Amino acid sequence: MSTYQEERIPFPSPWRLVKELRLRRPPWWLVALLLLVVIGTWIPLTLIYQARQQTSRLPRIHFFHDMDHQPKFGPQAAHPWYVDGRSMRQPIEGTIARGMLEHDQEYLLGYVTLDGTRASSPTRFVATLPERLSADSNLLNRGRERFGIYCAPCHGVEGAGNGPINQAAMALKEGKWVAATNLMTQMIRERTDGQLFQAISDGVRSMPSYRSQISVRDRWAIVAFVRELQQTLPVAAEPQEASSTASASASTTPATVP
Amino acid sequence: MTNITEPPPNDGEAAAESTGARYQFPRWANYLFPTLLLVAIGVFTYIPLLGTLAISPDTRAVGYQPAQPVPFSHALHAGKLQLDCRYCHSTVEYAAFAAVPPTQTCLNCHAAIKSDSPKLALVKEGFETGNPLRWIKVHDVPDFVYFNHSAHVNKGVACESCHGRIDQMEEVSQAKSLSMAWCLECHRAPEQSLRPREFVTAMGWDAQTATGKSQTELGAELAQDYHVQPLHFMTSCSTCHR
């Protein structure tokens, strides 16, 4: 029998193949089988699509683990040896890391005490920004930004005591919540810079201490920014009408000192 | 009749026809070869496609949402109440690790707000006993990848670029694949993801609406201002693996 090669006939086109094979209509079951297979291929694709759309509680699948684990404890990781389960150990109480000793009490605390420690009560609050800081635009911008992050949630972006957290707490009628102070009142304006700094550091009434969240320089920057706000914005009415609780306004008058 | 020799069933049929042998291949045998051809083409395209999609980190890693010990809602705190990310994750700007806040930070507000809620029981217990809450880490890159949050945030890479719309997540789930290819996408073209530093924590920020410049234009300017490293540094192995 002659072949295509011998007859030097080019390889048949698909159309010629179909013609010579006398392909008319494939049997129904073959078509059905093919269709079934094609539809079957959609199942895994649908599953993948679903997996991509949904969230999953199951741990992630990772094929190669060689880069995953270093014999180390990362930040805030758990440690099996310690009772509290922390791999990060706290500094021993009363110790100061090398090079971290600060003597400048006015800068650190915002007030001066007789024996120079935080434990005793202040004799004098710092009146203005410490000398090592200059109230330039850098400091004010930093203060604006930090105020926006840490203070505005309660005190509002303009210090009027109407931040979203304060509003939410008032709407919930929380009994323990003391309304955020309006920082534009004459009373707050008359406070010294040191008093404001000390309020941020140690907290006032229900306001917590922000010592751990805001660095010393940033706390001074916030004080500088609040002063700037007070200069540009009008004096607000005293808090008797602004805050709902009379006791809140009464307790603000004496300088709260630890 | 000339016939084709290649497909054996057909050849057999033809032979059977011409010699009048007892056994004849059924008519459908003609369709076996083209069908097999179709199936073969299908298999060779389908299997790689399926494999690629299945092992893609977009399938394996995105959407990971572990159950956390405390039902903390980012949608409420970062979304509705508009708390800045840095209020809680306060180390993000100067440390490699964006710290999960101590229970003290929760109690800044929750000492007074919803203080008796059973959802907060673990937080209060943790604060009183000093035992930390065991949050499950959602965004976790391999240990041999050195990722520094401060380096990114201070060069204008936004939180949402990697963490997605946290302000819309009731429970946090992994939004991006965090695969190496995904990291390199941005390292090769950082201008597509940069924004002014003061907006890094903003969610849903858009260069065009916020500044009137296209992202590429603004990104190129910012890359220059913030001294974003050149391509050869950004794609060097030891930039991330050390």
Side-chain angles (χ1 to χ4, degrees):
Chain A
M1 187 181 283
S2 58
T3 63
Y4 277 100
Q5 277 78 17
E6 285 158 10
E7 292 181 18
R8 299 194 175 279
I9 302 170
F11 196 80
S13 65
W15 176 241
R16 194 178 151 194
L17 255 178
V18 169
K19 226 170 87 182
E20 290 194 352
L21 283 167
R22 283 181 287 155
L23 290 174
R24 280 182 209 91
R25 187 194 283 170
W28 66 268
W29 54 265
L30 196 66
V31 176
L33 201 73
L34 263 178
L35 272 176
L36 262 177
V37 169
V38 168
I39 291 168
T41 58
W42 296 347
I43 295 169
L45 290 176
T46 322
L47 289 176
I48 290 173
Y49 177 78
Q50 245 184 354
R52 285 186 172 215
Q53 299 303 310
Q54 290 169 347
T55 58
S56 164
R57 294 271 190 236
L58 303 172
R60 288 161 285 213
I61 303 158
H62 209 162
F63 297 117
F64 304 107
H65 293 272
D66 51 345
M67 282 281 175
D68 285 8
H69 302 293
Q70 253 173 11
K72 69 171 183 185
F73 290 97
Q76 294 190 321
H79 199 298
W81 291 0
Y82 294 105
V83 179
D84 63 2
R86 284 177 230 253
S87 66
M88 292 165 83
R89 308 311 303 156
Q90 298 289 318
I92 298 163
E93 205 144 331
T95 59
I96 296 168
R98 223 182 156 86
M100 301 298 278
L101 183 62
E102 264 287 6
H103 297 287
D104 191 347
Q105 205 192 7
E106 296 194 0
Y107 177 67
L108 284 181
L109 300 178
Y111 55 80
V112 181
T113 57
L114 274 180
D115 59 353
T117 61
R118 225 169 83 194
S120 49
S121 56
T123 51
R124 173 178 64 82
F125 279 100
V126 178
T128 53
L129 279 189
E131 278 170 30
R132 56 203 276 182
L133 298 168
S134 57
D136 53 6
S137 63
N138 258 342
L139 193 78
L140 286 176
N141 284 336
R142 181 75 180 170
R144 176 179 294 113
E145 191 188 64
R146 297 296 115 172
F147 186 89
I149 298 169
Y150 297 107
C151 313
C154 291
H155 291 288
V157 275
E158 292 194 329
N162 57 355
I165 300 285
N166 186 54
Q167 284 176 343
M170 300 306 265
L172 285 170
K173 298 205 180 5
E174 288 290 347
K176 288 188 226 163
W177 183 260
V178 182
T181 308
N182 187 337
L183 301 175
M184 296 301 118
T185 57
Q186 195 55 41
M187 191 178 63
I188 303 292
R189 284 167 197 253
E190 281 163 11
R191 298 261 173 94
T192 60
D193 283 2
Q195 278 174 304
L196 294 189
F197 180 87
Q198 185 265 336
I200 303 172
S201 307
D202 297 321
V204 189
R205 303 189 333 257
S206 69
M207 173 176 151
S209 156
Y210 279 84
R211 182 174 276 115
S212 64
Q213 270 162 290
I214 317 175
S215 71
V216 176
R217 188 179 181 275
D218 287 347
R219 270 176 260 158
W220 282 116
I222 289 172
V223 171
F225 172 68
V226 170
R227 289 290 179 227
E228 170 90 352
L229 266 186
Q230 288 174 344
Q231 275 169 26
T232 48
L233 294 173
V235 179
E238 287 300 316
Q240 269 83 353
E241 48 222 282
S243 86
S244 56
T245 46
S247 61
S249 58
S251 63
T252 53
T253 329
T256 37
V257 159
Chain B
M1 177 194 158
T2 51
N3 216 327
I4 308 161
T5 50
E6 261 118 305
N10 185 56
D11 189 42
E13 189 200 20
E17 259 176 51
S18 60
T19 54
R22 264 176 300 170
Y23 183 75
Q24 280 196 338
F25 274 99
R27 171 65 68 190
W28 60 261
N30 279 346
Y31 301 101
L32 270 182
F33 176 67
T35 308
L36 280 177
L37 206 70
L38 269 179
V39 169
I41 293 170
V43 162
F44 277 106
T45 51
Y46 178 73
I47 297 293
L49 172 82
L50 193 70
T52 314
L53 286 176
I55 66 172
S56 152
D58 286 324
T59 313
R60 289 182 288 115
V62 174
Y64 174 54
Q65 189 181 48
Q68 302 288 0
V70 175
F72 176 81
S73 162
H74 276 86
L76 174 65
H77 292 84
K80 194 170 157 236
L81 295 173
Q82 296 161 31
L83 277 177
D84 193 282
C85 308
R86 292 165 288 188
Y87 185 90
C88 303
H89 305 289
S90 54
T91 65
V92 72
E93 284 172 305
Y94 51 87
F97 189 73
V100 176
T103 44
Q104 166 64 53
T105 305
C106 308
L107 293 176
N108 276 358
C109 301
H110 285 295
I113 304 175
K114 298 258 181 196
S115 51
D116 300 325
S117 167
K119 291 178 183 175
L120 278 164
L122 266 180
V123 176
K124 284 169 82 178
E125 189 199 309
F127 181 72
E128 279 153 21
T129 60
N131 291 333
L133 284 176
R134 288 174 184 257
W135 298 99
I136 314 291
K137 203 169 182 202
V138 180
H139 296 83
D140 197 7
V141 288
D143 281 355
F144 281 87
V145 177
Y146 177 79
F147 180 82
N148 190 322
H149 272 92
S150 71
H152 289 81
V153 167
N154 287 323
K155 302 254 171 183
V157 180
C159 306
E160 66 172 324
S161 297
C162 305
H163 296 285
R165 290 300 298 270
I166 290 284
D167 64 324
Q168 294 170 354
M169 292 183 197
E170 208 50 57
E171 275 181 273
V172 172
S173 63
Q174 189 174 332
K176 301 291 162 90
S177 70
L178 307 187
S179 70
M180 184 169 151
W182 174 84
C183 292
L184 280 172
E185 242 172 65
C186 183
H187 271 220
R188 288 192 180 116
E191 70 277 359
Q192 298 303 332
S193 307
L194 297 183
R195 61 170 77 172
R197 267 180 213 139
E198 55 265 37
F199 300 118
V200 276
T201 58
M203 292 282 163
W205 190 89
D206 178 56
Q208 195 69 53
T209 48
T211 62
K213 291 179 195 161
S214 73
Q215 176 61 55
T216 318
E217 198 185 342
L218 180 80
E221 276 172 34
L222 290 174
Q224 198 134 40
D225 288 355
Y226 296 161
H227 307 292
V228 171
Q229 298 280 355
L231 185 69
H232 68 84
F233 179 89
M234 297 278 278
T235 52
S236 159
C237 305
S238 58
T239 299
C240 311
H241 300 290
R242 30 172 131 162

